[in-house]
Amino acid sequence: MTAPLTIAEAAPLIERGELTPTELTEASIARLEKIDGALHSFVTPTLDRARQEAAEATTEIKAGRYRGPLHGIPYS
């Protein structure tokens, strides 16, 4: 993924299984690591927690327990 996706773009991809919350979170973390040195927008990034929650959402969605358009969407 080269450009950030909007929630409206990412949610249907996640629902259809074309993108996992884990993949989206890793892309978001990569972007954070690339640009936050200049922005300083995070006081305490909780990347391990983000990865854990993304893995849980990925498992839930793959098991058929999709809860709606925000399920698996990383936010800050």
Side-chain angles (χ1 to χ4, degrees):
M1 178 179 357
T2 56
L5 296 173
T6 66
I7 293 172
E9 294 167 331
L13 296 175
I14 289 172
E15 183 178 14
R16 291 191 306 262
E18 296 174 23
L19 176 67
T20 68
T22 300
E23 293 167 331
L24 183 57
T25 297
E26 288 301 329
S28 297
I29 289 171
R31 181 168 165 75
L32 167 73
E33 290 173 339
K34 181 178 179 180
I35 66 173
D36 197 52
L39 298 176
H40 305 290
S41 57
F42 289 86
V43 174
T44 307
T46 54
L47 305 182
D48 290 336
R49 182 175 177 183
R51 287 183 171 110
Q52 177 185 354
E53 290 183 9
E56 290 170 7
T58 297
T59 299
E60 291 172 354
I61 292 165
K62 285 184 178 182
R65 295 190 309 267
Y66 181 71
R67 292 183 269 154
L70 295 179
H71 192 186
I73 300 291
Y75 62 91
S76 52

